[in-house]
Amino acid sequence: MKRFTYIFILGLVSCGQLTPETIENKQGGYQVTVLPGWRQELDGESLLLSRVVNQQKAIISVHLHDPEFPTLQESVSHYTDRLIWDFTDARKIGDGESVINDMQTFWYRMTADQGTMRQEILIYMLQFDTGKFVQIVCIAKENSFINFEEEMTKTVFSFKRIR
């Protein structure tokens, strides 16, 4: 029985069902590694990933914006100031800095209402040397965010600029 289980799992891995997939968005100039079980949609420079587990949904979206400000700090300041107006009953949980593949990154975490559902939202913001402002947004229902957080973090930190 152990041998059958080992062969079955090895077969799934070799078929690509349990291995991550690197998605290149040439139009956007980036790549990201998508873990198994995440549905993906490319739309121009944007990427939408979604996963449903036990009737709970998580979303990771990547959006590029034309530069409005010359520095990442100015872009982040402008964007985070607008968040309170873009979401209903937005409440900041925290913010900070990080590095994703040698790119300075700011993050902002909050909860907000979307319709009748309270969501937790984690937004990573960085800026390419071309000035393009990048937002990587992770969203899930407030009480289920923790169930997706590890996979979302792995995906976000796999983000890489390609030329």
Side-chain angles (χ1 to χ4, degrees):
M1 181 66 171
K2 285 182 185 179
R3 182 173 166 84
F4 173 75
T5 303
Y6 175 76
I7 291 171
F8 178 72
I9 291 172
L10 185 62
L12 285 176
V13 170
S14 66
C15 290
Q17 295 179 13
L18 295 178
T19 58
E21 178 183 358
T22 299
I23 304 296
E24 278 194 12
N25 185 321
K26 292 183 182 187
Q27 187 173 345
Y30 63 87
Q31 70 180 31
V32 66
T33 300
V34 179
L35 298 172
W38 287 82
R39 199 173 125 247
Q40 51 198 274
E41 293 177 38
L42 276 172
D43 182 17
E45 294 180 335
S46 297
L47 172 66
L48 178 69
L49 304 172
S50 61
R51 179 172 166 97
V52 177
V53 175
N54 296 327
Q55 299 180 336
Q56 299 296 318
K57 186 175 186 176
I59 295 172
I60 303 170
S61 61
V62 180
H63 301 282
L64 277 64
H65 305 278
D66 289 329
E68 291 184 60
F69 303 96
T71 68
L72 174 60
Q73 290 80 3
E74 289 173 287
S75 295
V76 168
S77 177
H78 173 76
Y79 181 72
T80 55
D81 287 346
R82 284 189 22 219
L83 284 175
I84 200 139
W85 304 109
D86 291 343
F87 292 94
T88 304
D89 194 24
R91 296 183 189 157
K92 178 180 172 181
I93 296 173
D95 62 0
E97 294 182 44
S98 192
V99 175
I100 296 177
N101 283 309
D102 297 325
M103 292 179 284
Q104 181 184 15
T105 306
F106 288 90
W107 58 268
Y108 188 92
R109 191 174 196 140
M110 64 184 211
T111 58
D113 290 338
Q114 183 175 7
T116 60
M117 187 185 313
R118 188 91 183 142
Q119 301 212 3
E120 188 164 333
I121 304 161
L122 178 55
I123 306 162
Y124 293 89
M125 297 163 276
L126 52 113
Q127 197 155 348
F128 290 155
D129 53 8
T130 60
K132 282 275 189 185
F133 182 60
V134 181
Q135 296 172 319
I136 306 172
V137 182
C138 303
I139 302 173
K141 190 173 178 183
E142 186 177 29
N143 63 357
S144 67
F145 191 94
I146 190 74
N147 300 329
F148 297 100
E149 190 165 9
E150 183 178 339
E151 289 185 9
M152 289 191 286
T153 300
K154 286 179 182 178
T155 301
V156 167
F157 280 83
S158 74
F159 182 89
K160 186 177 183 181
R161 173 88 163 110
I162 57 173
R163 300 184 198 277

